[in-house]
Amino acid sequence: MEILAFGVTADEKPLLEQAFAGQHEIRCLDVFLDEDTAPIAAGYEIVSSSVNADLSGRVLRVLAAGGTKLIAQRSTGFNNIDLDEARRLGMTISRVSAYSPHSVAEFAWTLAMAVNRRIVRASIRTRDFDFRLNGLMGRDFHGRTVGVLGTGKIGEAFTRIAHGFGMRLLGWDVVRNPACLELGMTYVDKDELLASSDLISLHVPLLESTRRILDAAALRRMRDDAILVNSSRGGLIDTEALVDELRAGRFTGVGLDVYEAEAGVFFLDKSLETVEDDTLARLVTFPNVLVTSHQAYYTTDAVGQIIATTVANVADHLAGRRSENTLVPPA
């Protein structure tokens, strides 16, 4: 059987081809799955999509009409999929329920360290042979307070690194993680965490209950000199409100690997185009803000696990099985 995979990066393609070798043929496309590209999938029973695919009802109906029965999404998040429409159409939907939490946790700390110690500004200066230290002063994380919003597997991995720095640990989640408690974490309500933390990192999924969990009011509760990191989902932050706070001179640094309107922008080369998103254009101009392109998961370890799970999801579909990765089971 030939499988069609959308949104495949140059780094990912050989890993996908190797993983499916001897089992199925796989056709890899670098274009993303959306309403314009969905007709390409006509005749393919199995389609694999990337995290930024548009799997709205209209796209699903095009895929179903073309004979697609399984969509194997190569990501954990699935807020981009109309699951109710998939059920109505009798399509099976699978995802990758878990992969290396260390990839995202370590990248969150990379962002935190980079904005704290002004690494990007320092690098730009030294490339121009400007070796002055003015404006590059950071601060020790040791002894300061970190607030972790979401203490699941990734939040726990982030907390373990914070514990290694010797930080005071505050957490917020609907369920307390025993491992974080053993590390000395104190669970508090969200308002206390925001008001008390020198560094805040987001590790909650994007649900209706968490959408814009950091809205204008929440951002105002944060310390003026706080550092904010988001390596989870862009929709957790009201970006326009964040820009307003930054314009007012607040926050030591902000590190964002995700953006709430990233669809159609992230993973693409827009360098020769006029930026139409005024909020994003304003955001990247602040000297204390570092924006990266949703790459926290992008390690050989994590991507390898994502692909291995996708291979297993395909095998489960063909055998009529379901697993913890099945979002919509076979009709």
Side-chain angles (χ1 to χ4, degrees):
M1 178 177 294
E2 186 176 31
I3 299 166
L4 182 61
F6 286 90
V8 179
T9 67
D11 298 324
E12 188 184 12
K13 182 179 179 181
L15 299 177
L16 269 169
E17 292 174 339
Q18 181 179 4
F20 278 104
Q23 301 180 56
H24 306 286
E25 296 293 324
I26 184 162
R27 179 186 176 192
C28 296
L29 303 179
D30 59 1
V31 297
F32 301 117
L33 178 54
D34 56 26
E35 193 170 0
D36 293 328
T37 60
I40 301 173
Y44 286 90
E45 177 182 337
I46 299 174
V47 168
S48 180
S49 60
S50 56
V51 64
N52 59 331
D54 172 10
L55 289 168
S56 60
R58 287 188 295 181
V59 175
L60 292 176
R61 287 190 288 274
V62 172
L63 294 172
T68 298
K69 297 180 180 178
L70 168 69
I71 297 174
Q73 179 143 294
R74 304 187 309 280
S75 72
T76 299
F78 54 91
N79 54 287
N80 60 318
I81 308 174
D82 187 336
L83 299 179
D84 289 335
E85 183 65 8
R87 291 187 186 93
R88 190 188 72 80
L89 293 168
M91 302 179 75
T92 301
I93 309 291
S94 67
R95 64 160 178 162
V96 177
S97 58
Y99 57 86
S100 169
H102 307 290
S103 61
V104 179
E106 290 172 7
F107 193 83
W109 271 107
T110 300
L111 291 174
M113 294 295 291
V115 297
N116 178 42
R117 302 305 297 269
R118 313 292 196 271
I119 297 300
V120 175
R121 184 184 300 179
S123 176
I124 292 172
R125 282 188 186 179
T126 55
R127 288 172 67 90
D128 292 331
F129 293 92
D130 179 354
F131 297 97
R132 293 172 298 168
L133 297 181
N134 295 335
L136 300 182
M137 184 175 288
R139 57 185 176 181
D140 291 359
F141 279 130
H142 177 82
R144 287 189 161 82
T145 300
V146 60
V148 186
L149 284 166
T151 56
K153 292 180 180 179
I154 296 174
E156 178 188 331
F158 182 90
T159 300
R160 290 188 182 279
I161 299 172
H163 181 263
F165 273 110
M167 301 186 75
R168 176 184 174 225
L169 309 174
L170 296 182
W172 176 89
D173 207 326
V174 293
V175 177
R176 299 186 177 190
N177 185 331
C180 292
L181 289 170
E182 289 182 8
L183 291 170
M185 173 172 280
T186 300
Y187 279 86
V188 295
D189 63 40
K190 186 181 70 173
D191 288 350
E192 182 178 346
L193 183 147
L194 295 174
S196 303
S197 300
D198 300 290
L199 166 63
I200 294 170
S201 190
L202 302 179
H203 299 289
V204 297
L206 180 60
L207 308 169
E208 283 308 311
S209 60
T210 61
R211 187 174 298 276
R212 292 193 167 183
I213 192 171
L214 291 191
D215 57 13
L219 291 168
R220 285 194 294 270
R221 293 188 184 96
M222 292 172 56
R223 293 180 175 180
D224 288 346
D225 62 351
I227 291 173
L228 172 63
V229 171
N230 185 10
S231 57
S232 184
R233 287 291 182 267
L236 299 174
I237 298 177
D238 182 339
T239 314
E240 290 186 9
L242 176 61
V243 168
D244 289 341
E245 297 302 311
L246 289 164
R247 188 181 290 119
R250 300 190 66 227
F251 306 143
T252 292
V254 175
L256 303 174
D257 186 50
V258 288
Y259 172 61
E260 62 179 334
E262 68 182 54
V265 179
F266 279 26
F267 306 111
L268 298 172
D269 182 2
K270 297 288 185 178
S271 60
L272 299 179
E273 300 179 22
T274 300
V275 178
E276 298 179 356
D277 187 331
D278 293 337
T279 303
L280 178 60
R282 186 71 179 92
L283 189 64
V284 299
T285 64
F286 291 103
N288 58 333
V289 174
L290 174 58
V291 178
T292 52
S293 53
H294 205 142
Q295 68 184 81
Y297 78 98
Y298 205 54
T299 66
T300 55
D301 308 85
V303 173
Q305 292 169 10
I306 289 169
I307 291 173
T309 300
T310 301
V311 172
N313 289 342
V314 169
D316 285 342
H317 166 75
L318 294 175
R321 297 187 298 260
R322 64 177 69 184
S323 72
E324 70 277 4
N325 300 310
T326 306
L327 293 171
V328 179

